Amino acid sequence: MDVRMREVPAQVVVTEQRMVDQQSLERWLPEAMARVHKAAGSTAAGTAEQPYLLRDHVGDEPVFIVIYEGNPNDGETAVECCTPLHADGAAPDGAATRTIPAHREAYARVQKRTVQSGAVGDVYVAIENWIEGQGLEIAAAPRETYWTDFYSAAADDEVFDVAFPVR
């Protein structure tokens, strides 16, 4: 597995949080992504404003960050779904927002087939092992950063990054 490092600037995000287990996560997450994107409206930042998410063959796409305070496979845990806003724009009226602080993260790209096979948990373990092997520490909850339409992606397409903020 190819684990890489990147610097992520501070981001103001429109956010929605919920306590979910894996089964309710699968129902809630697509709906939450639609709601935060709609709430962000024209202030939503796509991959063009976040060059570390760009892929050679794809143009600007919406971005969603899903932060896990635990493992929903183990039972209910806090999960946050966010969409970043343009760096120079104002937050939309009435939208729940917060700032994700600037951080450094270790990450790996995930293909849709990895998710379909049930092996996404192995990605988390591999990144955690890599972090430990590099003498780094996990600094915050892990996250998945989506930058493509998961449902319309082909099995070999990269559909999101699994990332851990590190120090």
Side-chain angles (χ1 to χ4, degrees):
M1 173 164 313
D2 186 20
V3 179
R4 303 176 218 168
M5 293 288 292
R6 64 180 171 214
E7 299 294 326
V8 178
Q11 299 172 304
V12 176
V13 296
V14 172
T15 181
E16 181 176 319
Q17 298 178 16
R18 173 112 6 123
M19 294 292 294
V20 293
D21 60 14
Q22 187 62 38
Q23 184 177 13
S24 55
L25 173 70
E26 292 172 16
R27 285 189 314 268
W28 171 75
L29 189 56
E31 296 166 358
M33 287 177 166
R35 284 189 297 269
V36 296
H37 191 67
K38 181 178 180 181
S42 64
T43 64
T47 53
E49 274 191 57
Q50 299 166 75
Y52 56 87
L53 297 177
L54 288 173
R55 284 128 23 248
D56 292 337
H57 64 288
V58 181
D60 192 28
E61 293 186 284
V63 174
F64 300 96
I65 304 165
V66 182
I67 301 172
Y68 296 90
E69 292 295 337
N71 184 344
N73 290 303
D74 295 337
E76 273 200 356
T77 192
V79 177
E80 179 179 19
C81 178
C82 317
T83 194
L85 302 178
H86 294 295
D88 58 355
D93 289 338
T97 62
R98 78 172 183 96
T99 300
I100 297 175
H103 60 278
R104 196 167 132 208
E105 53 186 38
Y107 73 99
R109 295 261 150 111
V110 177
Q111 291 182 324
K112 185 175 180 178
R113 89 170 52 261
T114 302
V115 178
Q116 292 171 317
S117 71
V120 75
D122 297 340
V123 176
Y124 280 82
V125 171
I127 297 170
E128 287 177 290
N129 290 338
W130 185 90
I131 291 168
E132 184 178 319
Q134 300 298 308
L136 300 169
E137 294 179 15
I138 295 172
R143 59 221 47 216
E144 295 171 355
T145 302
Y146 292 81
W147 25 250
T148 194
D149 181 354
F150 180 87
Y151 297 104
S152 67
D156 290 336
D157 288 346
E158 293 174 327
V159 289
F160 61 88
D161 294 340
V162 169
F164 284 83
V166 296
R167 59 176 163 257

